[in-house]
Amino acid sequence: MAKALRKPATYDDLLKVPDHLVAELIDGELYATPRPAKPHSRAHSMLLGKLNGAFDWGDGGPGGWWIVTEPELHFGRDVVVPDIGGWRRERVPEYPDAGACDVAPDWICEVVSPSSGRHDRIRKMPVYARHAVAYAWLIDPVQKSLEVFRLSHGQWVTIATHAEDEVVRAEPFDAIELPLAALWLD
């Protein structure tokens, strides 16, 4: 579970958090969450491979994206780390410095877990909306689900919910099919 560690916190405080935790600053509070468990890691790595192959490498797919794992996003005083972030190359022609990037991605994906789900939904999703991230995916490997959100007038709108072994086309990557069963550990 993400826990506020101190208020108001600074980036120097964030740098002191041990490496076995993911540290973030939201609204002046420092949060630390544990590194992911096996179901989370499996969903993360399989999705990253599928999207990178089609959209970043352009390996037989449409291309046109920079897609990276755990970019550290600096939005003013907020520092958040989505599991995966993606930038359209037409908007961001040069690869962003994903180690400390201040350019909002066009899409983020959070792989939620029992320890991070509330934090991802309640604290991080509003930050992504404030900074005009156009799309967000929440993947839950325990529930075997994918929720797809689009930003509309500063609010998240659920545009699709998928589960189990569906094969889906999900915005903004609807140019390819995504077999959800590949994301889950049995």
Side-chain angles (χ1 to χ4, degrees), residues 89-105:
R89 291 182 189 202
E90 65 191 23
R91 187 175 70 85
V92 182
E94 297 292 320
Y95 183 77
D97 178 357
C101 185
D102 61 1
V103 177

Side-chain angles (χ1 to χ4, degrees), residues 48 51-52 55-56 63-75 80-109 128 131-135 172-173:
L48 185 66
L51 295 180
N52 266 336
F55 291 94
D56 198 334
W65 287 77
W66 303 110
I67 299 175
V68 299
T69 189
E70 297 186 346
E72 185 176 292
L73 304 174
H74 289 233
F75 298 144
V80 290
V81 181
D83 289 305
I84 308 172
W87 293 259
R88 292 182 191 269
R89 291 182 189 202
E90 65 191 23
R91 187 175 70 85
V92 182
E94 297 292 320
Y95 183 77
D97 178 357
C101 185
D102 61 1
V103 177
D106 295 292
W107 166 83
I108 63 88
C109 178
Y128 298 136
H131 295 282
V133 175
Y135 291 92
F173 302 109

Side-chain angles (χ1 to χ4, degrees):
M1 173 187 286
K3 180 181 176 185
L5 302 178
R6 186 178 128 177
K7 186 177 182 177
T10 67
Y11 191 70
D12 286 336
D13 296 322
L14 181 143
L15 293 175
K16 294 175 187 170
V17 172
D19 288 342
H20 70 279
L21 299 171
V22 176
E24 299 173 300
L25 288 171
I26 299 173
D27 296 325
E29 292 188 41
L30 177 63
Y31 294 91
T33 54
R35 291 283 171 188
K38 288 181 197 176
H40 181 289
S41 294
R42 168 68 181 191
H44 179 150
S45 64
M46 293 302 289
L47 178 63
L48 185 66
K50 180 74 170 175
L51 295 180
N52 266 336
F55 291 94
D56 198 334
W57 298 344
D59 192 19
W65 287 77
W66 303 110
I67 299 175
V68 299
T69 189
E70 297 186 346
E72 185 176 292
L73 304 174
H74 289 233
F75 298 144
R77 289 181 31 163
D78 293 326
V79 178
V80 290
V81 181
D83 289 305
I84 308 172
W87 293 259
R88 292 182 191 269
R89 291 182 189 202
E90 65 191 23
R91 187 175 70 85
V92 182
E94 297 292 320
Y95 183 77
D97 178 357
C101 185
D102 61 1
V103 177
D106 295 292
W107 166 83
I108 63 88
C109 178
E110 294 288 0
V111 182
V112 301
S113 65
S115 66
S116 72
R118 182 175 168 83
H119 177 70
D120 291 338
R121 288 178 185 283
I122 308 267
R123 294 190 181 97
K124 292 173 75 173
M125 289 290 282
V127 172
Y128 298 136
R130 274 197 308 269
H131 295 282
V133 175
Y135 291 92
W137 288 8
L138 294 180
I139 293 178
D140 186 330
V142 175
Q143 298 297 317
K144 298 181 179 181
S145 67
L146 164 64
E147 295 172 85
V148 180
F149 301 89
R150 182 186 315 125
L151 193 64
S152 178
H153 307 289
Q155 300 293 315
W156 290 114
V157 176
T158 304
I159 57 173
T161 304
H162 304 286
E164 300 292 333
D165 61 354
E166 288 182 63
V167 177
V168 305
R169 290 183 181 269
E171 289 183 37
F173 302 109
D174 50 339
I176 65 165
E177 290 185 336
L178 177 63
L180 293 184
L183 304 180
W184 321 132
L185 283 176
D186 290 327

